[in-house]
Amino acid sequence: MAYKAPVRDLTFILSEVLEIDRYTNQPGFQDVSSELAQQILEEAGKFADEVIAPINNPGDKEGCHWAEGGVVTTPKGWKEAYHQMVEAGWPSLMMDPAYGGQGMPSVIGSAVGQFTAGASAAFSMYPGLTAGAWAGIHANASEELKQKYLPKMSTGEWTGTMNLTEPQCGTDLGMVRTKAVPNGDGSYSITGQKIWISAGEHDFADNIIHTVLARVEGAVPGIKGLSLFVVPKFLVNEDGSLGERNTLECAGLEHKMGIHGNATAVMQYDGAKGWLIGEEGRGMNNMFVVMNEARLGTGLQGLAIGTAAYQAAVEFAKDRLQGRSLTGPKNPEGPADPIIVHPDVRRMLLEAKAFVEGGQAFILWTALQADLEKSEDEAVAQKAKDYMGLLTPVLKAYLTDKGFHAASLAMQVHGGSGYTEHFPASQYLRDARITMIYEGTNGIQALDLVGRKLPAQGGRAIMSWFGEIDAFVSENSGNEAVKPFIDGLADAKKKLQDGTMWMMQNGMANPDNAGAASTDYLNIFGITALAYVWAQMAIAAQKQVDAGSTDPFYTGKLQTGRYFVERILPDAGAHLTKLKTGADVLMTMPADAF
């Protein structure tokens, strides 16, 4: 089965749903048109299909190799594919032109990113981690550091990482022990061990630029004492050439359930030279730029894996002959009917299709907000910034949950074949599982949503979100052709608002109530977000049908959206009911009774 980048789906979202031609007055969009976007997506899709996808499964089987001295070799053909990517200019697509980038909007880059991650989740992590490290340096470092590192990171000639986790601390970064001692010349000596560092060592690039969270000697304990440093694998000379090897190395690789082609490294720093990004004691604030980039990328990755898994399941369901249709043979000349005739197989396929196509639109709608943050209109920029803060935990958690769900459904469609390594379903399921864990587990995302994002600025972001949906519903309430979508969105928003009020009334009085309700609340939020983008897609598709189009693409969108409205939207009610049970059922049982 060959992965096929969903170029038509994402072109439809960019051109007909988001209508990006409306944004030519916004920074970064002046030279961007829907025609250019389509050309970029077609070329990116071709690269993903022809260069990246073929190395995905062999890379999963081979994995990465570690040797004494911390030398890591990636699977056969991966280095060559990465060099092709660099030569074609794909890593620089969204980077700042001031540092060698092409300056394309995030909404274009997020579309291309879905293709790369769908073709190979593990491969996509190398440029993905570089983009995160690049963003942290770009947002917070001195101009000297930016000039030294960003141009070659922009092109992908050098790659980057984020180093947070240590053996004794995962999410609780206040326990970080990695130490930074000033050298007296503006540099610091970094000592400590970091674990689970994706793309921490490999053979793709001449240099790897690590962003490392560490505590300056004598700094206060906890989060407030942390600072962020840029620590290169090779020191960089004044003329930009590579100098001596820094005193850091990969001490080993993790043996993982999935994403075998990505080198997940244990990194040892032994007095390595590093330079401060921003100010001392602002490490977590500065690292949040990197972390938020990674969280959005992880949501995209989980969804893209689900898309690839869905494609494989559709192909299998059309080819696999098993049983007869309940309403009579559909393949009378053959010994059995293809399993796609069976209602339960169709249920699984439509469930996956409704989630992945809704998720594709949610990702691009959110990426557009990242672009609008740069607007010269202060009100537009503030609203977009509020939305990015509010929606990042929802996008990361909900889309990775549903990407894994789609991969699980795809395996079920394959039956026993899916449980073997002869078919791709197993790899997709294994690869998707990590997305629910790293960059902050989905439970942590739910706590972040209810504990930090909802109450921020007195609830300004969520009130703005409710207002936007109300205005959309009001504007489209007379469109009878898409009435189920509009009514469904209005009902989901009502349930989300109900859940929000319950959280405000009960979460403040007892924080355990907020914690116990957080995952169900995030699910209602995710369902509402997908209801919003499905309504937008339905309007765009119906417009083409009304204009006389007989293209099955548009009727297919409406039929898939109908499944979402009729068989997924009702889940919001169940989540609301569970949310309102509070913490008592969870917290009264003593620990030794488990």
Side-chain angles (χ1 to χ4, degrees):
M1 183 271 166
Y3 170 77
K4 190 73 177 167
V7 175
R8 179 75 191 277
D9 289 299
L10 270 60
T11 302
F12 165 70
I13 297 164
L14 289 174
S15 302
E16 299 178 56
V17 180
L18 299 179
E19 297 178 317
I20 60 169
D21 287 330
R22 295 183 298 159
Y23 296 100
T24 51
N25 62 331
Q26 296 293 339
F29 282 88
Q30 291 90 338
D31 300 318
V32 176
S33 65
S34 54
E35 288 79 13
L36 177 62
Q38 181 170 342
Q39 289 170 5
I40 292 172
L41 264 60
E42 286 174 353
E43 288 304 312
K46 193 182 301 181
F47 189 86
D49 296 349
E50 297 176 3
V51 179
I52 304 175
I55 64 172
N56 185 43
N57 188 253
D60 174 66
K61 287 181 167 59
E62 181 185 348
C64 294
H65 310 277
W66 180 89
E68 288 296 330
V71 176
V72 173
T73 307
T74 52
K76 183 181 178 182
W78 282 47
K79 179 171 66 173
E80 291 77 10
Y82 182 78
H83 289 168
Q84 281 185 256
M85 175 182 266
V86 170
E87 287 165 16
W90 292 115
S92 68
L93 191 67
M94 290 194 298
M95 306 306 194
D96 186 344
Y99 304 100
Q102 299 178 53
M104 283 288 120
S106 293
V107 72
I108 304 290
S110 291
V112 172
Q114 289 190 51
F115 299 164
T116 309
S120 175
F123 182 88
S124 74
M125 293 170 70
Y126 293 96
L129 268 296
T130 304
W134 185 100
I137 296 169
H138 184 263
N140 301 300
S142 66
E143 188 59 34
E144 181 185 359
L145 289 180
K146 290 182 191 178
Q147 292 292 348
K148 181 173 278 191
Y149 296 107
L150 292 186
K152 289 196 174 179
M153 292 177 74
S154 293
T155 60
E157 292 172 79
W158 295 352
T159 62
T161 71
M162 51 190 288
N163 284 233
L164 291 83
T165 305
E166 299 181 4
Q168 78 288 348
C169 69
T171 303
D172 191 355
L173 293 169
M175 295 194 292
V176 161
R177 292 176 188 158
T178 298
K179 186 171 65 173
V181 180
N183 289 324
D185 61 358
S187 70
Y188 290 74
S189 178
I190 312 293
T191 301
Q193 187 181 85
K194 298 288 184 177
I195 63 170
W196 303 338
I197 308 306
S198 299
E201 183 57 61
H202 52 76
D203 55 359
F204 283 5
D206 295 333
N207 207 0
I208 301 174
I209 313 306
H210 303 284
T211 54
V212 182
L213 207 56
R215 193 180 308 280
V216 175
E217 194 172 46
V220 298
I223 290 287
K224 293 181 179 178
L226 296 176
S227 299
L228 185 61
F229 299 87
V230 57
V231 188
K233 175 180 175 180
F234 285 94
L235 301 179
V236 181
N237 298 321
E238 289 302 314
D239 64 359
S241 63
L242 295 183
E244 64 186 63
R245 171 72 186 258
N246 212 346
T247 51
L248 61 93
E249 75 170 34
C250 171
L253 296 178
E254 300 293 349
H255 298 278
K256 311 184 299 290
M257 175 180 172
I259 55 169
H260 295 151
N262 189 266
T264 305
V266 176
M267 296 301 300
Q268 190 68 45
Y269 296 85
D270 294 310
K273 267 196 170 184
W275 286 264
L276 189 65
I277 297 175
E279 302 170 15
E280 281 191 17
R282 299 278 298 170
M284 279 305 296
N285 301 70
N286 296 338
M287 190 53 118
F288 263 117
V289 175
V290 187
M291 290 165 65
N292 284 334
E293 187 90 9
R295 286 170 177 175
L296 292 166
T298 302
L300 180 155
Q301 182 188 33
L303 192 280
I305 297 169
T307 303
Y310 161 73
Q311 290 184 6
V314 169
E315 185 169 313
F316 185 87
K318 289 178 178 179
D319 289 343
R320 173 68 167 170
L321 302 182
Q322 186 94 14
R324 288 295 189 189
S325 165
L326 298 175
T327 54
K330 301 296 184 287
N331 177 35
E333 303 305 315
D337 288 332
I339 62 172
I340 200 166
V341 306
H342 303 310
D344 198 57
V345 171
R346 286 174 165 254
R347 173 191 64 81
M348 292 186 282
L349 293 176
L350 271 168
E351 180 107 350
K353 184 174 170 65
F355 276 126
V356 300
E357 292 183 10
Q360 289 165 356
F362 182 27
I363 288 168
L364 296 189
W365 189 92
T366 306
L368 179 60
Q369 308 312 306
D371 291 319
L372 294 178
E373 276 192 80
K374 305 181 184 80
S375 175
E376 293 166 4
D377 183 323
E378 285 186 24
V380 170
Q382 185 62 67
K383 182 179 178 183
K385 185 176 181 181
D386 285 350
Y387 281 171
M388 288 301 294
L390 182 68
L391 294 175
T392 294
V394 178
L395 190 149
K396 190 277 178 186
Y398 190 71
L399 293 190
T400 57
D401 271 351
K402 299 311 174 187
F404 178 75
H405 180 52
S408 181
L409 289 169
M411 176 175 275
Q412 192 71 15
V413 170
H414 279 79
S417 299
Y419 201 65
T420 72
E421 295 298 329
H422 297 293
F423 289 82
S426 170
Q427 184 189 347
Y428 291 136
L429 191 75
R430 290 184 284 103
D431 284 356
R433 191 59 186 83
I434 186 58
T435 65
M436 300 160 72
I437 299 172
Y438 60 16
E439 306 314 334
T441 64
N442 288 357
I444 293 292
Q445 302 300 327
L447 287 174
D448 179 47
L449 174 64
V450 302
R452 294 179 65 244
K453 303 303 171 60
L454 274 186
Q457 289 86 39
R460 183 175 70 197
I462 188 68
M463 291 302 116
S464 177
W465 172 253
F466 287 150
E468 172 151 336
I469 291 177
D470 285 342
F472 178 86
V473 168
S474 176
E475 180 185 347
N476 294 286
S477 58
N479 189 339
E480 286 298 315
V482 293
K483 189 175 188 299
F485 292 91
I486 305 304
D487 289 350
L489 171 60
D491 184 63
K493 178 260 174 182
K494 182 180 177 182
K495 288 181 170 63
L496 180 61
Q497 196 162 23
D498 190 354
T500 304
M501 293 304 297
W502 188 93
M503 296 288 272
M504 289 178 176
Q505 292 163 5
N506 296 276
M508 296 284 285
N510 179 1
D512 277 344
N513 279 329
S518 59
T519 291
D520 284 300
Y521 181 81
L522 187 144
N523 272 281
I524 303 170
F525 211 130
I527 289 169
T528 306
L530 258 61
Y532 187 27
V533 293
W534 262 118
Q536 293 177 58
M537 287 194 286
I539 289 169
Q542 189 64 48
K543 182 179 176 182
Q544 295 296 331
V545 172
D546 290 345
S549 173
T550 56
D551 189 339
F553 175 85
Y554 296 113
T555 52
K557 281 292 175 197
L558 291 166
Q559 288 164 335
T560 306
R562 180 185 165 199
Y563 181 93
F564 178 84
V565 169
E566 294 182 11
R567 298 193 68 133
I568 295 175
L569 264 184
D571 291 347
H575 285 297
L576 182 62
T577 299
K578 290 189 283 184
L579 178 155
K580 289 183 176 182
T581 62
D584 186 64
V585 71
L586 300 183
M587 306 309 293
T588 52
M589 183 181 286
D592 60 8
F594 281 89

